[in-house]
Amino acid sequence: MKRPSRNLSAVLTCAAFLLSGVAVAQPQPGEPADLAAAARAAEQSLHQSFANLQFEDFGPAPVKGPLFQASAGGRILYYAPQSDHLLFATIYDRNGVNLTALAQDASARKKLGALDPAQALSIGPPGAPTVIEFTDPDCPYCRALDRFWAAKAAEGKPVRRQIYFVSGIHPQAASKAEHILCSKDQAGAFRATYAGEAPRPLATCKEGAVRVVANAQAVKAMGISGTPTLILDGRVISGFQQAEIEAWLDEKLAPKKPPS
């Protein structure tokens, strides 16, 4: 197996994120006594800190030394230079807080300045809760998300969608995005395209082509690698996570309590 490039740490923007090591629970033949003692202490600490979880196995991890946190492709990952391991993982603290998600949200908020709302397609009434949405006309989950938003609007829960097209995944995504942006009724063309009704030939125009390129640059700057991706008040939602989206929408539309 080819080892990861040693230049990876120069490519990724890393911040120190030191974690406790995990060792074996029982001494192994030839194992130093101090390592065995550390293993027993670590296992005891694990059960105390996460008493609500059942752990069946407790063994050595291949990761050595400190871990460093990095952002790549819109995702948070971890790098262990001592053992040259790259971890795509989710880290929780003892209270169940998803530290990886918090780091990802913070990274996305820093990059929001790269987005130009003038280059986005805006759908929905002004004043409604704003959703930043990265979408692909040929993504089935994006189409399902569009149907979800339509259903919520019918319930009297509309949102204002600030839409950027991801055109590097499916071969016709860019031309369909340009067709939408070149249409006189862009919202109508969006709905029709996402319903699978895009006409032939697709509409083209210089302004639409320029905006598709601008969207692609925004997608790259944000590190978006999958669709749909939503940013809800600075929180990144990867994929069509309906329960999370509904919870956010209910929170946004809940009646404001008067100050006590």
Side-chain angles (χ1 to χ4, degrees), residues 1 4 22 26 30 52 57 68 73 91 99 103 136 142 145 160-161 174 186-187 192 196-197 245 247 255:
M1 179 180 294
V22 177
Q26 299 297 328
N52 59 323
D57 296 308
F68 294 87
I91 295 177
L99 301 179
D136 177 333
C142 298
L145 177 62
R160 179 75 168 175
R161 299 164 67 185
Q186 295 181 355
E197 301 172 2
I245 298 169

Side-chain angles (χ1 to χ4, degrees), residues 202-240:
L202 297 172
T204 60
C205 64
K206 182 178 179 179
E207 180 184 355
V210 169
R211 289 177 67 184
V212 169
V213 172
N215 278 203
Q217 292 172 343
V219 167
K220 183 177 181 180
M222 290 296 297
I224 302 299
S225 57
T227 56
T229 296
L230 305 177
I231 300 179
L232 310 176
D233 291 336
R235 181 158 58 97
V236 179
I237 305 293
S238 298
F240 179 20

Side-chain angles (χ1 to χ4, degrees), residues 9 71 179 250:
S9 58
S71 176
H179 163 76
D250 289 343

Side-chain angles (χ1 to χ4, degrees), residues 50-68:
F50 300 93
N52 59 323
L53 297 178
Q54 296 288 332
F55 297 98
E56 298 178 357
D57 296 308
F58 192 83
V63 178
K64 307 294 183 184
L67 293 181
F68 294 87

